[in-house]
Amino acid sequence: MKYSDFLRLGYQPRRSDLICIFRIEPTKGFSIKEAASRVASESSNGTWSVLNPPAHIAKLSAKVYKISGDYVWVAYPVELFEPGNMSQILSSIAGNVFGMKAVDGLRLEEVRWPKKIVKSFPGPRFGVGGIRKILKVKKRPIACTVPKPKVGYYSSEHAKVAFDAWTGGVDLVKDDENLTNQSFNKFENRVRLCMKMREKAEKITGERKACLLNITSDVFTMKKRAKIISDYGNEFAMVDILTAGWGAVPCVREFCGDLKLAIHGHRAFHAAFDRNPHHGMTMDILVEIARLQGVDSLHVGALGKLEGSEETVRENFEKAEFSHIKGKKLILEQDFYRKKPVMAACSGGLHPGIIGRLFDLLGYDMIIQLGGGIHGHPDGTHCGAVALRQAIDAHMSGIGLKEYSKGKMELTRALERWGNKTPK
Ligand code: CAP
Ligand code: MG
């Protein structure tokens, strides 16, 4: 067994193969074929020295079957992978290869997950339909906020901000990605006080309200926090899926499933490896992983203050919410075998003046989350939330914001403050 054995141009992948498209920038002195063979070898069952293993082992070797410019197509026998074990799958296709000296840059651009692998994961328990059912919101984006400053409020102050936002019209109040159980805002206190405020806000508005409560920690602690959420009657838990880890998310899916909690996935840390076009892994693959592992809603980007093109946000959205992805150029056809759609969450530098582009790009099956775009409103949180709902209503009725804002001070003041500028 040697590197060149992994180069099988013209091989026709089996339907059962897992397929990866890599973008490979070979190190000086290596041809693309040599670099590709090394990537296929290291991500399946080879190594640097020549081996003479029993013949049956070659059956598990990956095959480089197509090369076009910097892009390389690699087919992996599905037997190489442990069904249902995303950690093992990623240790294979997205593990040592990123550190190989034969490549200057390596980016995992696309994965085609075969049926056997897709079926080995649970997928979302609630998904778009389940979230809408919990919140009784049929046909508009879910309005969400995250108290800002992102951490620092005492639990009682946090609950008051939530009350002001809920009574202004948001459906969901989300913990920020780095708010968990700090001394100034202990998790159980926050849950208890927010649930009291939620009850009041539901009575005032006649609308369902809920929290996305951040349980991120080790699995044992997350399980305890999920139980606290359930005991107080909230229907959602939130997890920073990347800093919690691939092995943690299935446990969260398991115990949140038992407690009938929907899981909101935050993607903090993704830009460490999906932002650099020359090295790492694309966000749409993370979306598919989160969907397979069973997250119910997930941040997909928003054309706001954080990096992410329209094309990327759209691709993330399709992989989250479509049942089938058509193959084209560097996209491989993908069937999700009836896995429920994950609700796309858009956030990051958004305010009422610029959410229109999300409607144009994604439609209305999404969570629109505003932090600074609500709490930075000139007249405070409550008016910021009212302005968001007014902007959503304007887009849902197809009326221009300016026109719609006539006689609506909250939206008028938001547009006066931020116009249609995207914050940097
Ligand atoms: C947004 C946010 C979100 C990021 C996540 C923040 O606050 O709460 O975590 O937008 O990014 O902490 O920045 P603002 P993404 O609304 O005040 O910007 O959704 O792209 O994963
Ligand atoms: Mg945040």
Side-chain angles (χ1 to χ4, degrees):
M1 182 187 270
K2 55 192 180 304
Y3 281 144
S4 55
D5 294 342
F6 294 83
L7 185 66
R8 297 274 299 279
L9 296 178
Y11 164 76
Q12 284 303 316
R14 297 176 305 172
R15 277 184 65 75
S16 65
D17 285 347
L18 183 144
I19 297 174
C20 290
I21 302 178
F22 289 98
R23 181 180 177 198
I24 299 182
E25 291 167 43
T27 308
K28 203 167 165 352
F30 286 94
S31 70
I32 185 81
K33 285 184 181 172
E34 289 167 332
S37 310
R38 282 158 172 73
V39 168
S41 162
E42 188 59 37
S43 57
S44 59
N45 63 351
T47 190
W48 61 273
S49 60
V50 178
L51 304 172
N52 188 13
H56 70 86
I57 289 180
K59 285 207 295 285
L60 291 176
S61 295
K63 302 158 186 76
V64 176
Y65 68 94
K66 181 179 167 191
I67 296 177
S68 166
D70 293 351
Y71 294 93
V72 174
W73 283 249
V74 185
Y76 297 81
V78 71
E79 295 77 11
L80 186 70
F81 305 109
E82 180 191 352
N85 184 344
M86 190 52 77
S87 301
Q88 181 271 337
I89 295 168
L90 292 174
S91 294
S92 196
I93 62 175
N96 293 351
V97 284
F98 290 117
M100 295 189 89
K101 285 184 180 159
V103 296
D104 263 354
L106 178 67
R107 191 170 199 242
L108 179 53
E109 293 277 350
E110 177 74 354
V111 179
R112 194 282 300 273
W113 310 90
K115 184 173 186 178
K116 184 176 177 192
I117 295 293
V118 174
K119 292 276 196 189
S120 69
F121 288 95
R125 178 190 176 95
F126 293 88
V128 173
I131 290 172
R132 287 192 173 284
K133 206 159 154 228
I134 294 171
L135 295 171
K136 298 195 178 347
V137 174
K138 281 209 174 62
K139 202 174 169 259
R140 63 166 167 82
I142 306 292
C144 179
T145 190
V146 53
K148 298 286 180 180
K150 46 173 57 182
V151 287
Y153 283 120
Y154 300 130
S155 309
S156 53
E157 294 169 329
H158 183 107
K160 175 68 175 68
V161 171
F163 176 79
D164 291 346
W166 276 322
T167 50
V170 303
D171 308 293
L172 289 173
V173 174
K174 179 182 96 51
D175 286 348
D176 231 321
E177 65 280 356
N178 56 341
L179 177 66
T180 49
N181 185 46
Q182 285 92 324
S183 57
F184 47 80
N185 191 340
K186 299 301 270 180
F187 183 80
E188 181 154 7
N189 287 345
R190 182 162 75 252
V191 178
R192 180 170 49 79
L193 294 171
C194 283
M195 289 303 103
K196 278 201 178 122
M197 287 298 172
R198 166 173 98 160
E199 208 182 323
K200 281 173 70 179
E202 288 187 332
K203 281 207 182 85
I204 293 166
T205 60
E207 291 181 335
R208 294 302 305 276
K209 306 293 178 184
C211 282
L212 303 178
L213 292 155
N214 190 0
I215 63 173
T216 303
S217 183
D218 60 81
V219 175
F220 310 105
T221 305
M222 289 201 278
K223 188 167 183 178
K224 283 186 204 134
R225 290 179 184 167
K227 182 73 173 60
I228 291 170
I229 291 174
S230 168
D231 289 348
Y232 280 94
N234 193 60
E235 298 87 348
F236 296 85
M238 166 181 162
V239 188
D240 299 339
I241 57 172
L242 296 173
T243 50
W246 306 115
V249 177
C251 305
V252 174
R253 170 64 172 79
E254 174 90 9
F255 54 71
C256 282
D258 295 343
L259 295 168
K260 297 189 177 48
L261 298 181
I263 302 167
H264 179 75
H266 197 287
R267 62 173 185 164
F269 187 36
H270 71 93
F273 45 83
D274 74 2
R275 180 175 186 180
N276 179 342
H278 300 280
H279 196 75
M281 177 161 94
T282 57
M283 177 66 209
D284 60 284
I285 299 173
L286 297 180
V287 173
E288 292 176 319
I289 292 168
R291 183 172 187 179
L292 293 178
Q293 291 201 316
V295 159
D296 293 293
S297 52
L298 175 74
H299 289 248
V300 297
L303 320 174
K305 71 185 181 188
L306 300 168
E307 191 61 22
S309 66
E310 287 206 354
E311 190 194 359
T312 324
V313 173
R314 177 70 202 179
E315 193 178 338
N316 295 341
F317 172 79
E318 291 183 1
K319 296 217 169 166
E321 301 207 10
F322 284 20
S323 57
H324 180 268
I325 300 289
K326 275 206 216 73
K328 62 179 192 262
K329 263 186 23 190
L330 292 171
I331 304 282
L332 295 167
E333 180 173 10
Q334 180 68 56
D335 188 330
F336 288 106
Y337 299 104
R338 307 168 67 78
K339 287 283 179 288
K340 285 181 181 164
V342 175
M343 194 161 212
C346 297
S347 85
L350 294 179
H351 58 77
I354 55 171
I355 61 170
R357 285 182 299 168
L358 292 172
F359 284 79
D360 300 339
L361 189 64
L362 309 179
Y364 62 78
D365 248 343
M366 58 184 160
I367 296 171
I368 297 182
Q369 179 207 290
L370 273 56
I374 281 189
H375 309 291
H377 187 282
D379 304 321
T381 296
H382 180 85
C383 294
V386 174
L388 171 59
R389 282 294 292 273
Q390 287 168 346
I392 289 174
D393 295 347
H395 291 299
M396 290 303 290
S397 49
I399 301 168
L401 282 183
K402 204 109 187 85
E403 178 57 29
Y404 196 84
S405 68
K406 284 189 182 131
K408 296 179 181 71
M409 274 320 288
E410 300 84 356
L411 183 54
T412 303
R413 300 264 287 156
L415 297 177
E416 279 167 1
R417 167 151 294 189
W418 295 305
N420 61 0
K421 296 268 170 305
T422 304
K424 286 274 172 275

